[in-house]
Amino acid sequence: MSILGRAALLLALAAALYAIVMALRGRRPGGRALQQSAERAVYGVFALTSLAIGAMFVALLSDDFSLRNVAEYTSSTLSAPYKLTALWASQAGSLLLWAWVFSGFAALAVWTNRARNRELMPVVVASLMGIAVFFFALLSFVTSPFETLAQAPAEGRGLNPLLQDIGLAIHPPTLYAGYVGLSVAFSLAMGALLTNQVNPSFARVMRPWVLGAWVL
């Protein structure tokens, strides 16, 4: 799981960098094909991040104590739901959840604008993937959720009892989704400002992202 997860995050980082370059190059006349390539890279980033978080969930559910995040925040006696929510008990796991939610929202923003606001989208994609690069760089080189231990313990330390509560299981993903929604709104605003497209059409696109993030 460690190798699979690390590889998925590194590939996601590469895909995000590729999307930035293609999106910015696609702003030139006749760059529609490059824009489409950048947008497909955004979908690829979401798929790769889903693979990474899926690998972590498998490790958590299977009590793979060779991973530091599993050994330090779960145990074999912990119920399955709290093994999963133990993902965001650690800094690295929380960042992985942030990156996954963010990449999903980025893919949704690109998909819903695939046939409209074409002037904005190259800047929006570059802005979104710039944020993604920050997350994937941290997850790949600073604090990896797939860090392994030299010797796997026979049993994990377990989850903090304060975190074994349904409210604290729901709270972090909801909070992160709200933050991520504002990141999409920020990217849309950057696109409108840099392309001088601040108009009613832009406002209609921005409105659900701002309201949804505020509600969350």
Side-chain angles (χ1 to χ4, degrees):
M1 287 299 119
S2 176
I3 294 175
L4 177 62
R6 287 177 182 271
L9 291 175
L10 285 170
L11 288 172
L13 174 61
L17 289 169
Y18 173 84
I20 293 172
V21 173
M22 292 298 105
L24 294 178
R25 289 185 62 189
R27 295 189 66 192
R28 301 172 183 172
R32 176 63 173 155
L34 296 178
Q35 293 179 27
Q36 291 177 331
S37 181
E39 292 170 2
R40 285 193 291 268
V42 175
Y43 301 141
V45 168
F46 176 54
L48 289 164
T49 313
S50 298
L51 178 61
I53 200 170
M56 178 54 68
F57 281 144
V58 169
L60 289 166
L61 289 172
S62 62
D63 299 323
D64 184 0
F65 297 131
S66 65
L67 295 183
R68 182 181 297 277
N69 264 34
V70 179
E72 292 188 352
Y73 297 100
T74 68
S75 66
S76 60
T77 59
L78 197 64
S79 63
Y82 289 120
K83 286 183 180 181
L84 294 177
T85 60
L87 173 68
W88 46 90
S90 66
Q91 181 188 65
S94 293
L95 284 171
L96 178 58
L97 178 64
W98 273 63
W100 180 65
V101 176
F102 176 83
S103 63
F105 275 34
L108 179 61
V110 168
W111 186 78
T112 54
N113 288 281
R114 64 194 183 281
R116 59 181 180 174
N117 302 304
R118 297 314 310 168
E119 299 86 355
L120 276 67
M121 291 314 295
V123 178
V124 171
V125 168
S127 179
L128 287 169
M129 291 298 97
I131 298 171
V133 165
F134 170 75
F135 279 113
F136 294 125
L138 285 179
L139 289 165
S140 298
F141 305 116
V142 179
T143 175
S144 173
F146 296 99
E147 179 184 354
T148 56
L149 297 170
Q151 183 174 357
E155 183 58 87
R157 295 180 181 178
L159 185 64
N160 186 330
L162 291 175
L163 300 178
Q164 297 181 42
D165 177 83
I166 187 62
L168 286 171
I170 295 171
H171 167 66
T174 308
L175 183 67
Y176 298 166
Y179 287 151
V180 165
L182 291 176
S183 298
V184 174
F186 163 79
S187 297
L188 288 167
M190 290 298 293
L193 289 170
L194 293 176
T195 59
N196 197 27
Q197 296 291 322
V198 182
N199 51 41
S201 176
F202 156 72
R204 285 192 295 271
V205 174
M206 171 77 90
R207 189 170 186 267
W209 288 103
V210 174
L211 291 178
W214 181 83
V215 169
L216 288 167

